[in-house]
Amino acid sequence: MTRALVLGGGGPVGIAWESGLVAGLAQAGVDVGAADFTLGTSAGSFVGARLALGADRATFADPILADRIAGEETRPAGGGGPPPDLSTLMKLMAEAQGGLRNPAEVRAEIGAWALAAPTMDEQAFIDSFGKSFATLPIDAWPERGFACTAVDAETGAFQLWTEASGVGVVRAVASSCSVPGVYPPVTLNGRRYIDGGMRSSTNADMAAGHELVLVVAVRLGAAGGALGERITARFNEEVESLKDGGATVVTISPDEEALAAFGLNLMDFRRRPDAARAGLAQGLAYAADVKPYWNRQA
């Protein structure tokens, strides 16, 4: 019996909540890090890579829980200037998932916008991003099954990074986390890539073929308006496709306490400790529901 873990996108706040969730589940006897295959998109790629590389699950959120950044600004380190206006990005993301135009064509427009946006230098992004993986060789990839998602900034084509791709996990994860307009597109094999969430906030359909799929959807309920509706519709389509393929699908999304901890901006670093605490509490509370499925497949 094979188990897949799908970790969706949701910015630095999503990383914190997912980290707390992982720790809470582990402390209550559910080790999601034991998945046969872990798929991460954006924030989920960062969390998933840490899991696949063997980070201790029970203490997974400790660095965030111990964080004392409540007085810091919301903009990313090294970005400079006021927070970027992402209204164009939100409009295009809703359009890419709206079904009225070729999604790859719209994603290419997002990529063009990302390439032109003033952000920190790409190497500065890699250097700051890579602190969590600082001891890894440049071409390192987790031994346990892991993949993360990105989008070609020029063509809008979807990219699934796996061990077979022949790229290092640090740059692959950085590309998956490259929120357009906030972070620079990341270069891999001579091409530039942006956040895999431009295709889907979870890309859960990429876990097809596994018998049990646990999907953690940060943005489900955390985004409103037309984009929120499309995220939910796309998520439901992916879950149904997995079920049609014979998988048992278990889903976790933020509860009311978590959504309150998130605030309105998933890029707000000040929210991370509270989001991690909310994730920890939710993991502890939800473990009893998840355990019969997850541990039965072990």
Side-chain angles (χ1 to χ4, degrees), residues 50-177:
R50 287 191 63 214
L51 279 172
L53 288 164
D56 181 71
R57 270 74 90 175
T59 61
F60 201 80
D62 283 8
I64 301 173
L65 292 169
D67 209 342
R68 295 291 181 268
I69 61 170
E72 292 189 6
E73 299 177 30
T74 60
R75 65 176 181 257
D85 180 0
L86 299 183
S87 57
T88 296
L89 175 62
M90 297 300 104
K91 177 179 178 294
L92 288 172
M93 285 177 66
E95 190 173 352
Q97 299 188 29
L100 298 179
R101 291 176 59 196
N102 183 330
E105 179 181 298
V106 183
R107 293 195 297 265
E109 292 181 17
I110 295 173
W113 182 77
L115 288 166
T119 65
M120 72 174 77
D121 175 79
E122 180 181 348
Q123 190 57 52
F125 176 46
I126 298 295
D127 290 345
S128 64
F129 189 92
K131 289 178 181 177
S132 295
F133 311 117
T135 62
L136 295 177
I138 192 171
D139 59 349
W141 196 266
E143 292 184 8
R144 183 174 287 276
F146 172 73
C148 61
T149 65
V151 166
D152 188 302
E154 293 184 6
T155 67
F158 178 67
Q159 176 66 49
L160 184 68
W161 298 119
T162 68
E163 184 176 15
S165 301
V167 300
V169 69
V170 175
R171 277 189 171 269
V173 169
S175 73
S176 190
C177 291

Side-chain angles (χ1 to χ4, degrees), residues 219-245:
R219 293 189 65 90
L220 203 63
L227 178 58
E229 292 176 3
R230 284 307 306 157
I231 287 174
T232 299
R234 178 58 184 260
F235 176 78
N236 291 335
E237 291 168 4
E238 292 173 358
V239 168
E240 288 306 311
S241 73
L242 290 170
K243 290 180 177 178
D244 289 344

Side-chain angles (χ1 to χ4, degrees), residues 188-202:
L188 285 143
N189 295 335
R191 301 196 65 81
R192 305 287 296 282
Y193 291 90
I194 57 174
D195 195 320
M198 299 305 103
R199 175 183 184 264
S200 160
S201 66
T202 53

